[in-house]
Amino acid sequence: MLAPRSRVSRETEGRDELDALYRAHRRYLWRLAYRITGDAAEADDVVQEAFARFLAGPPADLGAPLRPWLARVATNLAVDALRRRRRRGYPGAWLPAPVESGDEADVAENRADDASEGPESRYGLRESVSFAFLLALEALTPRQRAVVVLRDVLDYSAREVAAALGASEESVRILHHRARRALAGYDRARCVPDAALAQRTRAALDALMGCLARQDARGLEALLVTDARTVTDAGGEYTALREPMVGRARVVRFLLQAALARRDGRPRVAVRSVNGLPAVVIDLTRPARRQAPRTVLRCELDAEGRIREVHAVLAPRKLVAVRA
């Protein structure tokens, strides 16, 4: 009777140890994978696969810190996931997957991580999860994107990035230089998601939703810049724009029609903190055929506080990190 009990005890200890490792590294790996892929579901898959590979073939030196090994595995899995997405194409316009950012523990952890950033870190954790930053990263190759996330967000040295990507330090420096050059436009118009921007964004969203509820075309026009854009991402599952719509008059008509179509679905509306800024979550209790049951609606502002872009994420797979 003693042997089976001892075996059970060892198995329990092994599971407890694995659970502790998972809890210690999951959030870090998820942040890394999300910033490389821009997709919460992909980040979930990357974290699971990284730990599966640890179980199947752990590092030779188990006495060494595990995080660098896991980060290397997760980085390459995330780069591969981004390559696959781009290779197979995407049905319609692509937007990042929204991630809620109002949790107090997460805020505290972000502050702790931001405080430890070194001189090479250009972008804090809050900024690097913003839609503006994630969309700017779309101009980069997958390896360039990984280099920016590792060097400019997570403060890896060139040598550490080279080890993570299995590349030379010289290659990493070239990738980094080209990536920073491609992000020059973003850097010039950089807008960090701080409390002031959050307040302006909330005011713009409240005004936007009020105009849509009243079907107030003139009021809506006053909120938008002349070359306003709207982008919808339904992942090919629901009715949505195939490409961004540009021009204030066209955007106004589209938004008013979309709001009118949602009325029969008995919408429930809530404002949440998403990717560092306020966004509107719209749930339809009675969606029509080909109508998305849930939408995350958000906007980007210009320097004067007017809306220059309206984003609508409708694809259910993109909304896994937004609570019901």
Side-chain angles (χ1 to χ4, degrees):
M1 294 295 291
L2 291 178
R5 190 173 297 142
S6 177
R7 183 167 62 247
V8 169
S9 177
R10 287 197 301 272
E11 290 173 354
T12 301
E13 289 174 3
R15 285 196 301 271
D16 290 344
E17 184 178 354
L18 181 61
D19 287 344
L21 288 173
Y22 185 80
R23 289 193 300 272
H25 301 293
R26 185 201 69 82
R27 183 184 286 274
Y28 182 87
L29 298 178
W30 193 94
R31 286 172 170 171
L32 167 62
Y34 177 71
R35 285 160 177 79
I36 294 175
T37 64
D39 191 304
E42 287 283 8
D44 288 339
D45 292 343
V46 164
V47 173
Q48 295 295 331
E49 179 61 21
F51 278 96
R53 294 195 180 190
F54 169 72
L55 288 175
D61 184 6
L62 290 175
L66 182 59
R67 179 164 289 185
W69 187 91
L70 286 171
R72 177 174 63 81
V73 173
T75 296
N76 286 281
L77 287 170
V79 166
D80 289 344
L82 181 56
R83 282 176 176 155
R84 285 194 300 272
R85 191 247 291 175
R86 292 183 176 179
R87 189 165 52 241
R88 65 175 175 257
Y90 193 78
W94 182 91
L95 289 170
V99 177
E100 289 201 62
S101 50
D103 184 82
E104 290 303 320
D106 188 52
V107 169
E109 189 172 353
N110 282 359
R111 287 175 180 157
D113 285 353
D114 281 343
S116 67
E117 288 167 358
E120 288 297 324
S121 273
R122 283 194 170 195
Y123 313 109
L125 288 173
R126 287 181 179 279
E127 181 179 2
S128 65
V129 81
S130 69
F131 264 55
F133 185 75
L134 293 172
L135 287 168
L137 292 183
E138 284 294 296
L140 309 182
T141 68
R143 283 170 72 83
Q144 286 174 348
R145 186 163 177 160
V147 168
V148 166
V149 170
L150 292 171
R151 287 286 279 140
D152 291 339
V153 177
L154 300 179
D155 198 23
Y156 279 45
S157 67
R159 178 178 295 180
E160 290 169 329
V161 177
L165 291 175
S168 67
E169 288 187 50
E170 181 62 22
S171 175
V172 165
R173 290 191 179 93
I174 292 171
L175 287 168
H176 194 206
H177 174 73
R178 290 174 177 171
R180 281 191 168 180
R181 189 170 58 192
L183 291 174
Y186 168 81
D187 286 334
R188 283 193 298 271
R190 189 170 165 185
C191 207
V192 179
D194 57 15
L197 179 57
Q199 186 175 13
R200 294 196 302 272
T201 302
R202 175 63 189 265
L205 275 175
D206 287 345
L208 173 68
M209 297 304 292
C211 288
L212 294 179
R214 297 189 302 271
Q215 290 287 291
D216 180 2
R218 184 167 296 180
L220 195 53
E221 286 178 358
L223 295 175
L224 304 178
V225 300
T226 304
D227 58 348
R229 296 182 354 132
T230 186
V231 185
T232 62
D233 180 348
E237 296 184 59
Y238 297 103
T239 301
L241 297 171
R242 290 289 300 174
E243 56 189 25
M245 181 177 285
V246 183
R248 180 163 55 197
R250 299 180 68 207
V251 169
V252 165
R253 285 195 299 272
F254 172 78
L255 292 176
L256 291 174
Q257 289 169 1
L260 196 60
R262 282 195 296 265
R263 283 186 178 177
D264 290 340
R266 296 184 181 177
R268 295 197 309 268
V269 178
V271 177
R272 308 265 182 83
S273 179
V274 172
N275 293 74
L277 291 172
V280 176
V281 180
I282 305 169
D283 287 297
L284 300 184
T285 55
R286 295 176 59 180
R289 182 175 177 272
R290 295 289 296 166
Q291 189 177 40
R294 164 168 276 205
T295 300
V296 170
L297 189 72
R298 63 174 309 280
C299 62
E300 294 285 341
L301 308 182
D302 71 359
E304 285 74 43
R306 292 179 301 170
I307 298 173
R308 59 181 178 82
E309 291 199 7
V310 178
H311 299 151
V313 184
L314 303 87
R317 188 179 184 278
K318 287 283 187 77
L319 302 178
V320 296
V322 178
R323 69 183 186 275

